[in-house]
PDB file of all heavy atoms in Angstrom:
ATOM      1  N   GLY A  60     -34.753  43.022  25.005  1.00 97.00           N
ATOM      2  CA  GLY A  60     -35.922  42.321  25.482  1.00 97.00           C
ATOM      3  C   GLY A  60     -35.974  42.392  26.997  1.00 97.00           C
ATOM      4  O   GLY A  60     -35.074  42.422  27.645  1.00 97.00           O
ATOM      5  N   GLY A  61     -37.245  42.568  27.428  1.00 96.00           N
ATOM      6  CA  GLY A  61     -37.527  42.680  28.857  1.00 96.00           C
ATOM      7  C   GLY A  61     -38.397  41.654  29.443  1.00 96.00           C
ATOM      8  O   GLY A  61     -39.107  41.009  28.747  1.00 96.00           O
ATOM      9  N   LEU A  62     -38.170  41.270  30.704  1.00 97.00           N
ATOM     10  CA  LEU A  62     -38.977  40.339  31.408  1.00 97.00           C
ATOM     11  C   LEU A  62     -39.368  41.088  32.741  1.00 97.00           C
ATOM     12  O   LEU A  62     -38.555  41.028  33.643  1.00 97.00           O
ATOM     13  CB  LEU A  62     -38.235  39.130  31.648  1.00 97.00           C
ATOM     14  CG  LEU A  62     -39.044  38.051  32.589  1.00 97.00           C
ATOM     15  CD1 LEU A  62     -40.164  37.403  31.783  1.00 97.00           C
ATOM     16  CD2 LEU A  62     -38.127  36.984  33.184  1.00 97.00           C
ATOM     17  N   GLU A  63     -40.533  41.656  32.680  1.00 95.00           N
ATOM     18  CA  GLU A  63     -40.995  42.246  33.962  1.00 95.00           C
ATOM     19  C   GLU A  63     -41.723  41.282  34.749  1.00 95.00           C
ATOM     20  O   GLU A  63     -42.463  40.347  34.276  1.00 95.00           O
ATOM     21  CB  GLU A  63     -41.961  43.411  33.532  1.00 95.00           C
ATOM     22  CG  GLU A  63     -41.233  44.604  32.678  1.00 95.00           C
ATOM     23  CD  GLU A  63     -42.193  45.612  32.276  1.00 95.00           C
ATOM     24  OE1 GLU A  63     -43.410  45.592  32.512  1.00 95.00           O
ATOM     25  OE2 GLU A  63     -41.690  46.637  31.684  1.00 95.00           O
ATOM     26  N   THR A  64     -41.564  41.318  36.067  1.00 96.00           N
ATOM     27  CA  THR A  64     -42.263  40.383  36.925  1.00 96.00           C
ATOM     28  C   THR A  64     -43.384  41.023  37.698  1.00 96.00           C
ATOM     29  O   THR A  64     -43.265  42.143  38.156  1.00 96.00           O
ATOM     30  CB  THR A  64     -41.170  39.775  37.961  1.00 96.00           C
ATOM     31  OG1 THR A  64     -40.520  40.724  38.596  1.00 96.00           O
ATOM     32  CG2 THR A  64     -40.127  39.013  37.186  1.00 96.00           C
ATOM     33  N   TYR A  65     -44.450  40.216  37.830  1.00 95.00           N
ATOM     34  CA  TYR A  65     -45.649  40.623  38.524  1.00 95.00           C
ATOM     35  C   TYR A  65     -46.114  39.373  39.232  1.00 95.00           C
ATOM     36  O   TYR A  65     -46.627  38.491  38.796  1.00 95.00           O
ATOM     37  CB  TYR A  65     -46.747  41.143  37.559  1.00 95.00           C
ATOM     38  CG  TYR A  65     -46.293  42.202  36.769  1.00 95.00           C
ATOM     39  CD1 TYR A  65     -45.810  42.089  35.436  1.00 95.00           C
ATOM     40  CD2 TYR A  65     -46.457  43.609  37.199  1.00 95.00           C
ATOM     41  CE1 TYR A  65     -45.366  43.078  34.714  1.00 95.00           C
ATOM     42  CE2 TYR A  65     -46.044  44.582  36.448  1.00 95.00           C
ATOM     43  CZ  TYR A  65     -45.510  44.409  35.215  1.00 95.00           C
ATOM     44  OH  TYR A  65     -45.083  45.490  34.449  1.00 95.00           O
ATOM     45  N   GLY A  66     -45.768  39.355  40.564  1.00 94.00           N
ATOM     46  CA  GLY A  66     -45.983  38.095  41.380  1.00 94.00           C
ATOM     47  C   GLY A  66     -45.137  36.980  40.937  1.00 94.00           C
ATOM     48  O   GLY A  66     -44.008  37.052  40.679  1.00 94.00           O
ATOM     49  N   ASP A  67     -45.969  35.831  40.623  1.00 95.00           N
ATOM     50  CA  ASP A  67     -45.292  34.601  40.072  1.00 95.00           C
ATOM     51  C   ASP A  67     -45.329  34.615  38.555  1.00 95.00           C
ATOM     52  O   ASP A  67     -45.162  33.505  37.940  1.00 95.00           O
ATOM     53  CB  ASP A  67     -45.693  33.501  40.698  1.00 95.00           C
ATOM     54  CG  ASP A  67     -47.183  33.104  40.609  1.00 95.00           C
ATOM     55  OD1 ASP A  67     -47.945  33.983  39.990  1.00 95.00           O
ATOM     56  OD2 ASP A  67     -47.676  32.050  41.035  1.00 95.00           O
ATOM     57  N   CYS A  68     -45.661  35.715  37.952  1.00 96.00           N
ATOM     58  CA  CYS A  68     -45.904  35.719  36.399  1.00 96.00           C
ATOM     59  C   CYS A  68     -44.793  36.716  35.926  1.00 96.00           C
ATOM     60  O   CYS A  68     -44.309  37.669  36.509  1.00 96.00           O
ATOM     61  CB  CYS A  68     -47.269  36.328  36.089  1.00 96.00           C
ATOM     62  SG  CYS A  68     -48.520  35.279  36.628  1.00 96.00           S
ATOM     63  N   GLY A  69     -44.401  36.444  34.644  1.00 97.00           N
ATOM     64  CA  GLY A  69     -43.573  37.334  33.857  1.00 97.00           C
ATOM     65  C   GLY A  69     -44.243  37.860  32.727  1.00 97.00           C
ATOM     66  O   GLY A  69     -45.058  37.240  32.137  1.00 97.00           O
ATOM     67  N   LEU A  70     -43.789  39.047  32.214  1.00 96.00           N
ATOM     68  CA  LEU A  70     -44.164  39.642  30.964  1.00 96.00           C
ATOM     69  C   LEU A  70     -43.070  39.948  30.092  1.00 96.00           C
ATOM     70  O   LEU A  70     -42.260  40.815  30.458  1.00 96.00           O
ATOM     71  CB  LEU A  70     -45.125  40.897  31.253  1.00 96.00           C
ATOM     72  CG  LEU A  70     -45.583  41.621  30.013  1.00 96.00           C
ATOM     73  CD1 LEU A  70     -46.664  40.700  29.384  1.00 96.00           C
ATOM     74  CD2 LEU A  70     -46.159  43.013  30.351  1.00 96.00           C
ATOM     75  N   ILE A  71     -42.894  39.183  28.886  1.00 96.00           N
ATOM     76  CA  ILE A  71     -41.921  39.715  27.948  1.00 96.00           C
ATOM     77  C   ILE A  71     -42.421  40.870  27.311  1.00 96.00           C
ATOM     78  O   ILE A  71     -43.541  40.818  26.676  1.00 96.00           O
ATOM     79  CB  ILE A  71     -41.601  38.497  27.052  1.00 96.00           C
ATOM     80  CG1 ILE A  71     -40.826  37.401  27.902  1.00 96.00           C
ATOM     81  CG2 ILE A  71     -40.795  39.008  25.930  1.00 96.00           C
ATOM     82  CD1 ILE A  71     -40.482  36.200  27.080  1.00 96.00           C
ATOM     83  N   ARG A  72     -41.572  41.930  27.249  1.00 93.00           N
ATOM     84  CA  ARG A  72     -41.991  43.075  26.492  1.00 93.00           C
ATOM     85  C   ARG A  72     -40.829  43.768  25.832  1.00 93.00           C
ATOM     86  O   ARG A  72     -39.669  43.447  26.195  1.00 93.00           O
ATOM     87  CB  ARG A  72     -42.741  44.079  27.383  1.00 93.00           C
ATOM     88  CG  ARG A  72     -42.037  44.733  28.443  1.00 93.00           C
ATOM     89  CD  ARG A  72     -42.633  45.927  29.056  1.00 93.00           C
ATOM     90  NE  ARG A  72     -42.723  47.104  28.020  1.00 93.00           N
ATOM     91  CZ  ARG A  72     -43.031  48.205  28.267  1.00 93.00           C
ATOM     92  NH1 ARG A  72     -43.379  48.541  29.422  1.00 93.00           N
ATOM     93  NH2 ARG A  72     -43.011  49.082  27.331  1.00 93.00           N
TER      94      ARG A  72
END
Side-chain angles (χ1 to χ4, degrees):
L62 176 72
E63 298 178 356
T64 56
Y65 300 95
D67 61 355
C68 299
L70 177 68
I71 290 179
R72 67 164 291 189

